[in-house]
Each structure stands twice: as structure tokens, then as C-alpha cells.
Amino acid sequence: MTPSRPRKAESIGRLRAIVAASTIVLAIVSAACGGGEPGSDAGGEIDPQRIGPQGRVPQFVVECEVSHLAFDDPIVLPWQPGASHQHQFFGNNAVDSDPGYERAIGATTSCDQRLDTASYWSPTLLDDRGARIDALGLTAYYRPGNGVDHADVVAYPAGFMMIAGDAAAAETPDLDVVAWGCGGGARREVEPPACSSNSTLRLWITFPDCWDGSRLSSFGSGAHVRYSDGGCPDSHPIAVPQLLMAIDFPPVDPTGLSLSSGSLETAHADFWNTWDQDKLESEVTNCLNRGLVCGLGS
């Protein structure tokens, strides 16, 4: 099935304004989720002068528009075009059901950082009539995980894939993995809140950050990655950046919302590292490993 593009609802400029305005409250969220108090870090000195959207935790940030919509999933349903529930894709414009890395690398991107040709995707949001609510955009935050020394973080290997959340979930997900909120507000909730007209409805999804060091994907099982908890476990000793995806939607009435994957409990997202690998490694080395807060789309 040929991917389709949704209409553009808002510009990346509006999302950047939301990110900038929410710096302080997101620093509070970062502390609550194990990132340490703003100005502190588990792995040594960090940049004492700069504050980013995740506080003073070392970080770099990329913003992306929706690239296309498709009933495809190259991680869970590879080589099966049209077999998935509908996804909204951000970043790489060439991604469909084909998991071939060479086909995706070097494609154009919908991200403000033009060398971020990675692909990010999630199920679409539906209103109480089943009509799609188009996402305004995605903000991807890259930072060290809970208790991880920032100097130990390495870039994802080329072609690395992972999933956060569970498309088959029947119970409320952990707030540390899937949460809803309003714009950059500090409060995270199990269900979508009613947000003011000058804000956005935001879905937060936090990815695992510890890798087993061998497999690039486990095609849906997630066996090759784990979440850090005071550091990475012996079974998955390699610290990779913890990716936090924030997907913004218009501030709609939250009554009766669902996802193309099912109920709100099934919220999840996927990531495929098809970055320009040299640029990704540079961001990790020059921002995360040095303990620095780097600018948007740096």
C-alpha cells in the first residue's frame, strides 16, 4: 500500500516554542523519572551552565513532522505491506514494511536535523467516532538512562531497532514507559487529559536503553533490550541513549479516544536507527559523553 501524507496541522516552529517554554517543568519530570535533580548526574560532571528540555541532564533533541501514514511495520510485520494497524511515521520518508537497511539509509527526512534520517512511528490517535486525529509533530529526546554514566553511553549500531510499549496490552502501562500530558507540563497521566487551547495533547513514550551487544532487533519480542535501573544489567550491559518520544496532538476532547492499535492501553512506538551514522556518533560523543546540553537539531 502506498504511504499517504496527512495534512499539515501545525509548523515545527510552534512545537519548538512549546519545547522552549517547558524547559523548567520538564526538568522536574526528568528528576521524577530517574534522571536526577536538574544540575546533577549519575556519571560525573555535566554542563553547569546550560538547561535543555530535560534539565541539565546531557541531551540532544530533534523535532520531526509526520512523514507519512501507512499500514506497515518493518519490525513486527516485515515484508508484509498493508498487514499492520495504521501507523504515523516521522523522519525517514522511505520506510514501509521492508526492513532492508540499505534501502532506507540516506533517504530524505521530515526532521529538522537533516542528518536524522532515522524512522520513528506509532499508532494513530482516533476520536470517539473513529476518525483520525493528525499529529502535529514529534520531539525526540536523547539522553542517558537511569543511573547510567553518561561517559559510557554509545551510539546505537547502524540498523538497530526497538519498541517501547505493548500493542497487545490489556492493562494500564507503566507511567515510566507510556504517559499522557499537556504540552511540556510536568504532570504525566495514565489517560489523556483535557488540555488548554494554547497547549497540545502530548503522548510520552520512553524506550529501553540497555542493549545485549549482539542483536540489532528481536522483531517484536524486545529480548535484545532492557531498561536501566541504577545502571544496565549484566545480561544487557551496553548503555545506548535513552530515547524519549513526545508526540503532540491538537488539544482535543479526550472522551472516547482510542488508537489504531486498539484501546489506549496499547500505546507504543517503534524506532529504527537509520540515522546518518557518523552524525549520530558525533552527537553521542560530543553531547552525551561530554555531559553537555546540545541545542535543537544540533
Side-chain angles (χ1 to χ4, degrees):
M1 180 174 294
T2 302
S4 61
R5 289 180 179 271
R7 63 179 179 80
K8 287 187 178 180
E10 295 284 344
S11 67
I12 274 183
R14 178 183 176 188
L15 293 181
R16 180 170 285 118
I18 293 170
V19 171
S22 64
T23 294
I24 301 302
V25 290
L26 277 174
I28 298 171
V29 172
S30 174
C33 292
E37 294 294 334
S40 72
D41 181 71
E45 295 184 1
I46 63 172
D47 185 352
Q49 302 299 321
R50 299 191 63 190
I51 297 177
Q54 293 292 312
R56 290 193 177 92
V57 176
Q59 64 199 262
F60 59 96
V61 185
V62 179
E63 294 170 339
C64 310
E65 294 181 338
V66 175
S67 58
H68 57 283
L69 303 170
F71 291 88
D72 292 333
D73 191 326
I75 297 180
V76 178
L77 294 166
W79 301 290
Q80 299 180 61
S84 173
H85 52 259
Q86 189 178 55
H87 285 110
Q88 53 197 0
F89 287 80
F90 305 85
N92 194 298
N93 287 308
V95 169
D96 53 22
S97 67
D98 185 343
Y101 176 77
E102 294 301 327
R103 178 177 174 275
I105 189 66
T108 58
T109 181
S110 67
C111 298
D112 62 343
Q113 169 49 261
R114 308 316 289 179
L115 293 179
D116 181 4
T117 52
S119 186
Y120 314 81
W121 64 95
S122 68
T124 52
L125 183 65
L126 307 176
D127 67 17
D128 59 356
R129 297 174 293 115
R132 188 182 70 244
I133 300 170
D134 288 335
L136 303 176
L138 162 79
T139 306
Y141 302 92
Y142 292 85
R143 49 162 288 168
N146 179 22
V148 172
D149 187 330
H150 61 75
D152 292 338
V153 177
V154 300
Y156 314 111
F160 179 82
M161 296 173 163
M162 62 178 170
I163 300 173
D166 183 359
E171 299 180 352
T172 301
D174 190 324
L175 278 174
D176 288 339
V177 178
V178 175
W180 297 86
C182 294
R187 185 169 181 173
R188 297 191 182 185
E189 303 184 33
V190 171
E191 297 184 351
C195 301
S196 66
S197 60
N198 61 350
S199 184
T200 61
L201 174 63
R202 174 169 281 193
L203 172 60
W204 288 96
I205 301 178
T206 304
F207 283 77
D209 58 296
C210 298
W211 175 44
D212 67 8
S214 58
R215 291 170 290 182
L216 295 181
S217 176
S218 44
F219 288 100
S221 74
H224 66 309
V225 290
R226 293 288 185 273
Y227 287 91
S228 59
D229 185 6
C232 287
D234 292 341
S235 60
H236 295 73
I238 309 300
V240 293
Q242 183 165 78
L243 170 62
L244 287 77
M245 277 176 53
I247 304 173
D248 286 287
F249 300 92
V252 297
D253 181 350
T255 304
L257 292 179
S258 63
L259 297 164
S260 57
S261 52
S263 68
L264 294 175
E265 286 79 10
T266 66
H268 63 283
D270 304 60
F271 169 75
W272 184 9
N273 178 29
T274 53
W275 268 83
D276 178 282
Q277 191 66 18
D278 288 343
K279 177 60 175 175
L280 174 63
E281 291 175 1
S282 174
E283 293 292 280
V284 171
T285 299
N286 295 321
C287 298
L288 302 190
N289 294 158
R290 294 174 62 201
L292 299 179
V293 172
C294 294
L296 298 176
S298 62

